[in-house]
Every structure is written in C-alpha cells, then in structure tokens.
Amino acid sequence: MYAPGESPAFDKLREDVEGLGISYAMTAEKFLNSRADYDAVTNTLRISRESYENYRINVERAELRRDIVHELSHARQYKTLLDGARGAQARRQRLVQQARSMSEEEFVRFRWSNELEAERTAWEVHNQAVASFEKGRSTTGFSPAFLKRIADKRLEDFSDNKAAYEREFRTDYRSMVLESRPSRSP
Ligand SMILES: [Zn+2]
C-alpha cells in the first residue's frame, strides 16, 4: 500500500497488525461512510469491489488506501482484547464480554473514540505520504503544524456522520449484550 519509509505511521501500523492473520475479502456490500470494513469477529477486512475496480483504473486511490488504513487501525485496537482467541466464536465471546463490561452509553462513547483514533491515523498516514511525495519534488515539504490542521479539519468532516455511527454502535451493543445472556444450566 505504502512503500516503507513513505509514512512512519503506516510502517508502525503494518508492524502492529503483522501476524494477526487478517483475511481480506472483496464484497459488493456498501459500508457506512467508507470503502472498506473490518469485522473483528471473523478478523476480515472487506473491501468494496467497486472501489477496488476504481483503484485499478486510478480512481479514488488515495481514498481507498486511507479507508483501508482506518480499518487496519481497528484491527490494531482489538489486538490486545482478542490476543490468543482462536476462531470466530472465541473472538465474539471476548467482544461480548467487553461490551457487557460497559453500559450502552459507555460502549457508544468507546466505539466513537475508536472511530476518531482510526480516522486520525488514516489522515496521518495520508498526509505523511503526501508530504514525502512533496519532499521529493521540493526542499520545503509541509510543516507538522500545517498537516495537523488538515487532519483536524478532516476529523471534523468525519464527525458529521457521528449520529449514524452511534446508531450502529447501539445496534451492536444490544445484539451482543441482550442476545447473549448466558443460559445457566442448573
Ligand atoms: Zn471505523
């Protein structure tokens, strides 16, 4: 996706998710506000087929790469929680346990802060890649303060979708916490 050294933040992310055994799949499905999606239960990063076809003809390449970085950041966020959990069932169990340790409001806040962190990483990687390209063309490059201002603005735009995300988190929470009460055997 990015050449080594092009973005230190991506090099770090790649190192962090290496060995997690993430599967990649192409799908016709549409995702909320993104060209890709990471499912922590099945450990699968799904990429919209349409976006991938576009990518191959040089349309919205930067956008798809950025969305994939965002999703890989989610995989990294779950790394500790899901460490050693083998298979979808074991992974789901850990996710359910985590959700049940929180109230619905806490869960929604937690998931939203994960979104912001993932999106900030995506823009950080994007900006570093742009800056490293610019550096190759001129001697000035962009100042870190300038790049941070851009990332802040992008995060503001991203937050326009906060309500839609929160609805999804609530649905997730309810499906995990309400449907999964353990039925105790006598
Ligand atoms: Zn996300």
Side-chain angles (χ1 to χ4, degrees):
M1 292 231 307
Y2 298 90
E6 199 180 341
S7 158
F10 184 73
D11 293 342
K12 172 79 170 64
L13 177 63
R14 175 163 40 203
E15 201 182 298
D16 288 344
V17 301
E18 212 174 55
L20 291 185
I22 300 170
S23 303
Y24 294 83
M26 216 69 83
T27 174
E29 219 178 301
K30 296 261 185 273
F31 307 118
L32 172 64
N33 192 29
S34 181
R35 294 159 190 82
D37 156 88
Y38 173 70
D39 177 30
V41 172
T42 58
N43 196 20
T44 307
L45 200 154
R46 296 180 300 165
I47 296 168
S48 125
R49 185 175 298 280
E50 191 188 334
S51 300
Y52 180 70
E53 299 298 340
N54 283 339
Y55 183 90
R56 293 181 53 185
I57 54 166
N58 272 312
V59 175
E60 296 187 350
R61 286 184 82 106
E63 288 81 355
L64 180 60
R65 292 205 300 181
R66 212 166 50 228
D67 286 350
I68 291 173
V69 170
H70 175 116
E71 299 309 324
L72 287 174
S73 302
H74 284 316
R76 173 165 67 186
Q77 289 164 348
Y78 288 116
K79 188 176 178 174
T80 307
L81 178 74
L82 298 178
D83 184 43
R86 298 264 165 263
Q89 211 180 338
R91 294 170 67 90
R92 181 171 162 83
Q93 213 161 39
R94 297 249 182 114
L95 290 159
V96 167
Q97 268 169 12
Q98 185 191 49
R100 291 183 64 185
S101 75
M102 297 179 212
S103 70
E104 184 171 321
E105 295 315 310
E106 281 168 346
F107 182 79
V108 168
R109 273 201 301 278
F110 166 73
R111 289 284 300 269
W112 178 244
S113 78
N114 279 351
E115 286 306 327
L116 291 180
E117 195 268 338
E119 189 65 7
R120 183 171 286 284
T121 300
W123 281 102
E124 188 184 4
V125 168
H126 173 90
N127 288 337
Q128 284 175 346
V130 171
S132 104
F133 175 74
E134 284 297 320
K135 219 183 249 167
R137 306 196 316 160
S138 71
T139 48
T140 48
F142 294 125
S143 78
F146 174 72
L147 292 177
K148 185 173 180 306
R149 271 208 308 283
I150 295 183
D152 287 347
K153 176 75 187 81
R154 300 305 189 191
L155 244 65
E156 258 178 62
D157 298 342
F158 180 77
S159 298
D160 289 348
N161 296 293
K162 188 177 181 192
Y165 277 96
E166 286 185 343
R167 275 195 295 279
E168 258 192 11
F169 303 154
R170 285 183 201 286
T171 306
D172 275 7
Y173 182 83
R174 287 169 195 173
S175 80
M176 286 197 284
V177 171
L178 302 178
E179 288 168 21
S180 63
R181 295 261 179 239
S183 49
R184 289 175 207 284
S185 43

